[in-house]
């Protein structure tokens, strides 16, 4: 670690600490009055099968028949084939250049958020890791919709996808740029759900 890296890291920690300390004490006082029940947490936890299910309104639903799985918690958490490919290639490419730490960081984020989204439905020989978080990590006792960790998982996947898109963008000049643009557009169209389902609020 160089002096510049340490200085930047210290500035980042101090700035984040200042922002958090302004909000965290009040937030803890308010949220601790409303703990979530185990039943509520289990109900809103994701299941692995949810990650291979595409919404029926998505454009890719008609062609990707393998994504019409049933069961689980009936949530649609599939990130998209395009993003999966880009993230996997990005991890492979990212490990081979000086930015490999970022690639490992994003890959660890993908795994961590995936397991967090499973919540109380993740059991290892009857032991539930999420119980430790509820017991010892402030705030986790108040979390309810754990399947929303899938959103954070996709953010980390986008970080990995950046490595592969960067390599594709630099491939043979204009050809690579067109390929990268086309791949991103196709990836977005696959998961685009039209019309969007509107929920009535009582």
């Amino acid at each position: 670690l160089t002096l510049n890296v340490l200085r930047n890291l210290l500035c980042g920690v101090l700035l984040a600490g200042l922002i958090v300390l302004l909000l965290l004490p009040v937030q803890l006082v308010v949220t601790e009055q409303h703990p979530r029940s185990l039943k509520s947490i289990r109900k809103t936890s994701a299941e692995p099968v949810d990650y291979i299910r595409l919404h029926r309104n998505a454009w890719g639903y008609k062609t990707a028949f393998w994504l019409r799985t049933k069961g689980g918690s009936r949530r649609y958490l599939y990130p998209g084939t395009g993003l999966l490919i880009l993230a996997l290639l990005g991890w492979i490419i990212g490990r081979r250049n000086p930015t490999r730490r970022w690639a490992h960081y994003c890959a660890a984020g993908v795994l961590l958020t995936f397991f967090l989204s499973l919540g109380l439905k993740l059991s290892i020989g009857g032991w539930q890791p999420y119980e430790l978080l509820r017991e010892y990590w402030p705030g986790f006792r108040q979390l309810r919709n754990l399947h929303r960790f899938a959103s954070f998982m996709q953010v980390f996947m986008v970080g990995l996808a950046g490595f592969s898109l960067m390599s594709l963008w630099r491939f043979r000049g204009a050809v690579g740029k067109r390929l990268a643009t086309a791949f991103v557009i196709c990836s977005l169209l696959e998961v685009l759900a039209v019309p969007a389902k509107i929920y009535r609020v009582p």
Side-chain angles (χ1 to χ4, degrees):
L1 289 177
T2 64
L3 185 60
N4 286 337
V5 172
L6 289 173
R7 185 180 63 225
N8 292 338
L9 180 62
L10 180 61
C11 288
V13 170
L14 289 175
L15 181 61
L18 178 63
I19 295 172
V20 169
L21 286 175
L22 292 174
L23 304 173
L24 191 59
V26 178
Q27 185 185 41
L28 285 175
V29 171
V30 174
T31 57
E32 282 180 352
Q33 301 173 21
H34 306 282
R36 306 295 185 179
S37 67
L38 293 178
K39 182 180 179 181
S40 175
I41 294 174
R42 189 174 289 106
K43 185 178 179 180
T44 57
S45 298
E47 295 189 30
V49 70
D50 297 332
Y51 283 93
I52 52 172
R53 182 183 293 113
L54 190 62
H55 196 281
R56 60 177 57 88
N57 287 348
W59 286 8
Y61 181 80
K62 294 181 179 179
T63 54
F65 60 89
W66 58 90
L67 298 176
R68 303 174 191 174
T69 53
K70 297 181 179 180
S73 65
R74 297 183 180 179
R75 293 183 177 88
Y76 307 95
L77 304 181
Y78 184 66
T81 308
L83 181 56
L84 278 173
I85 293 172
L86 287 173
L88 181 60
L89 291 176
W91 180 66
I92 295 171
I93 294 169
R95 291 187 310 157
R96 299 177 180 176
N97 60 41
T99 56
R100 60 183 178 273
R101 290 182 180 177
W102 282 108
H104 292 317
Y105 170 76
C106 290
V110 169
L111 290 175
L112 180 62
T113 48
F114 168 73
F115 287 121
L116 282 173
S117 72
L118 302 181
L120 291 174
K121 292 183 180 177
L122 174 64
S123 179
I124 305 173
W127 172 64
Q128 295 175 312
Y130 190 77
E131 278 289 2
L132 279 178
L133 290 175
R134 276 176 45 85
E135 189 67 29
Y136 298 107
W137 198 280
F140 275 89
R141 190 175 291 275
Q142 286 74 39
L143 290 182
R144 182 184 62 177
N145 297 316
L146 300 183
H147 66 274
R148 291 178 180 170
F149 273 109
S151 301
F152 292 99
M153 188 187 84
Q154 291 188 26
V155 170
F156 284 113
M157 291 178 71
V158 169
L160 287 173
F163 290 107
S164 51
L165 283 175
M166 188 185 303
S167 297
L168 188 57
W169 189 265
R170 295 171 178 171
F171 178 71
R172 296 190 178 182
V175 175
K177 293 178 181 179
R178 289 171 184 168
L179 284 173
T181 303
F183 204 99
V184 169
I185 292 173
C186 290
S187 300
L188 291 173
L189 289 176
E190 178 196 13
V191 295
L192 182 65
V194 178
K197 186 176 181 181
I198 306 297
Y199 290 91
R200 286 188 179 275
V201 179

